[in-house]
Amino acid sequence: MVEDASSERMPRWLPRALLLAFAGLAAYQLGEWAFHKLLGLITMMLVAFFISLAMEPAVDLMTARKVPRGVATAVVFVLLFAAVGGFLAALVTLLVETVSNLLNELPGLLNQLVDWVNGTFHQHFTIDQLRDRLLHDSNIINNYAQTAANNIWGLSSTILGGLAQFLTIALFSIYLTADGPKLRRTICSLLPQRRQDTVLHAWDLAIDKTGGYLYSRALLAVISAVTHAIFLAILDLPNPIALGVWFGVIASFVPTIGTYLASVLPILVALTVQPFDAVWLLIFVVLYQWFQDYLLQPRITARTVDVNAAVALLSVLAGAALLGAVGALLAIPATATVQAFLSEYLPRYQVAADPRIDRTAPRRERKAMLRRRSRRNRRVRSDEPNATAPTQHEAERDQPPERAPE
């Protein structure tokens, strides 16, 4: 009876295991709830950290010339805000001018379109018929007006929220840049000496790669802006400088397809002025993309940051999937930092010359080279001593010990 009672009794460890399991589940739920609530703030802090990494080389350069770090940080960020403000001003000017030109040219374009439809399909449409049908027989405009009126409050909230996020990122970027040495010293004080060197080395790599990416892309943007502004001025398009700035920024900071995305707005402008100029502009865009990818960019990024085009596009897509537009902007400097860190800590081995790597020789020559190499390897292995035969020391060791005379 005693044994039966003891076997049915609850094990002593079970209540503690259940308590730990419920505590772990509660901690997980609390952590997940807090992470989702703080995801926006975490994203802003990540953006601010990368901005501070990009600004730190310029600040360090000024502090090396005996400029106080606070003054150097203020100068660098004033220049940065001026550049961003100039780009936004150029963008607003372009949008206003493009919309105005489209509205002015829209009647003529519609007349040309109606004439083409009537001549091609043997119809008898007129602009007045299309206008009456659009205004009276359709509720598209009324529905659009009602939707816009209902979304005005949401648009205002979005603008105010974006402004608040911008100010938060700017504030923390300035703080992290100005107090960079203090922040590194605080983090290193929590780690042993061996870990401190690893953290500081990774931090240096992040600063070099992020700053190098920003400055190389800024140089590419300036060259692209000047080149396209000159070509647009030759075509006599309106606002060539603003269009050049737009072209330079979008084409340089959006990898692989940035040039083609940036060309959409200038081509629309060209269509409203002289449609045939859009063809010349498209040809110039393709030629400049080839010049930038194969001649200009490798020379500029050789000493800063060099990421394979396919890897860059994949990292941008992954960053956009994780964090949206912010992730797309931060993907390439983060990838370059990880790539540089891994290249220093992963072992590398010398690769022997092999025709199967480059595959430049004809197939018959590659097979002949492989046969010669195979025969040479078999001859070398046959000349080596038999590795399976036991050595003298191993033979003596494996023999049974001699029995002592009785």
Side-chain angles (χ1 to χ4, degrees):
M1 296 294 294
V2 176
E3 293 181 356
D4 295 339
S6 61
S7 62
E8 295 178 358
R9 186 181 304 169
M10 181 183 298
R12 294 182 178 179
W13 55 267
L14 186 57
R16 182 177 298 178
L18 291 175
L19 182 61
L20 290 176
F22 283 118
L25 180 61
Y28 172 77
Q29 294 289 341
L30 181 61
E32 185 182 15
W33 172 80
F35 177 77
H36 285 293
K37 290 295 183 181
L38 298 176
L39 182 59
L41 181 60
I42 293 173
T43 304
M44 288 189 290
M45 294 301 101
L46 184 63
V47 175
F49 178 68
F50 269 92
I51 292 176
S52 68
L53 292 178
M55 296 297 106
E56 193 142 352
V59 174
D60 293 340
L61 185 63
M62 296 180 67
T63 54
R65 299 176 180 271
K66 307 302 181 181
V67 178
R69 191 171 184 86
V71 176
T73 303
V75 171
V76 169
F77 274 91
V78 166
L79 294 177
L80 176 63
F81 294 151
V84 174
F87 171 72
L88 294 178
L91 180 60
V92 172
T93 302
L94 283 176
L95 291 177
V96 172
E97 291 288 339
T98 303
V99 172
S100 177
N101 291 333
L102 284 175
L103 292 177
N104 292 331
E105 297 292 333
L106 187 59
L109 294 175
L110 287 177
N111 285 326
Q112 295 178 7
L113 180 61
V114 169
D115 293 339
W116 178 81
V117 170
N118 292 334
T120 303
F121 300 100
H122 306 289
Q123 300 294 324
H124 301 284
F125 293 114
T126 61
I127 296 296
D128 295 334
Q129 292 176 351
L130 294 177
R131 184 180 64 247
D132 293 339
R133 180 171 297 181
L134 180 65
L135 294 177
H136 299 290
D137 299 339
S138 176
N139 292 326
I140 296 176
I141 297 180
N142 292 331
N143 294 334
Y144 180 78
Q146 292 177 1
T147 303
N150 294 330
N151 291 335
I152 283 185
W153 176 253
L155 180 62
S156 302
S157 301
T158 303
I159 294 175
L160 292 177
L163 182 60
Q165 291 180 358
F166 174 78
L167 294 177
T168 303
I169 293 173
L171 179 63
F172 278 95
S173 300
I174 295 172
Y175 168 75
L176 292 175
T177 305
D179 287 347
K182 181 179 179 181
L183 178 61
R184 286 188 287 273
R185 190 174 293 109
T186 302
I187 293 177
C188 289
S189 65
L190 303 175
L191 301 172
Q193 188 69 34
R194 181 181 56 190
R195 299 295 181 185
Q196 292 178 15
D197 182 69
T198 304
V199 170
L200 292 177
H201 181 60
W203 207 306
D204 282 341
L205 282 177
I207 291 175
D208 293 338
K209 297 303 177 180
T210 307
Y213 171 77
L214 177 65
Y215 300 133
S216 62
R217 289 292 163 177
L219 181 57
L220 288 173
V222 171
I223 297 174
S224 178
V226 172
T227 305
H228 286 89
I230 293 174
F231 185 77
L232 294 172
I234 293 174
L235 293 179
D236 198 20
L237 293 180
N239 297 318
I241 297 178
L243 283 172
V245 171
W246 159 263
F247 217 115
V249 173
I250 300 300
S252 299
F253 285 94
V254 178
T256 308
I257 58 174
T259 302
Y260 304 108
L261 290 178
S263 65
V264 173
L265 185 59
I267 287 176
L268 288 177
V269 174
L271 289 174
T272 60
V273 178
Q274 182 59 260
F276 193 73
D277 289 342
V279 179
W280 291 112
L281 182 58
L282 183 60
I283 295 174
F284 181 79
V285 166
V286 174
L287 293 177
Y288 184 82
Q289 178 71 21
W290 179 87
F291 170 74
Q292 177 176 289
D293 289 344
Y294 293 99
L295 296 178
L296 187 62
Q297 181 173 329
R299 299 177 183 274
I300 293 178
T301 60
R303 296 184 178 181
T304 53
V305 54
D306 190 10
V307 180
N308 183 269
V311 176
L313 181 59
L314 181 62
S315 63
V316 168
L317 294 177
L322 291 174
L323 296 176
V326 174
L329 292 175
L330 302 181
I332 293 183
T335 302
T337 303
V338 173
Q339 176 180 291
F341 194 77
L342 293 178
S343 63
E344 293 196 8
Y345 287 94
L346 288 180
R348 298 277 181 163
Y349 302 97
Q350 185 177 3
V351 180
D354 196 308
R356 292 169 294 183
I357 296 178
D358 297 327
R359 304 183 66 85
T360 56
R363 184 180 181 86
R364 183 178 301 174
E365 294 183 10
R366 293 202 305 269
K367 287 185 175 181
M369 293 172 64
L370 292 176
R371 284 195 297 268
R372 289 195 298 269
R373 177 173 298 177
S374 178
R375 288 195 297 267
R376 185 172 61 251
N377 292 337
R378 286 198 299 267
R379 187 168 55 251
V380 170
R381 285 196 297 268
S382 63
D383 293 340
E384 293 178 353
N386 191 2
T388 59
T391 61
Q392 182 180 2
H393 175 70
E394 292 174 344
E396 293 177 355
R397 184 189 60 189
D398 294 336
Q399 290 181 356
E402 297 180 359
R403 298 177 64 89
E406 296 181 355

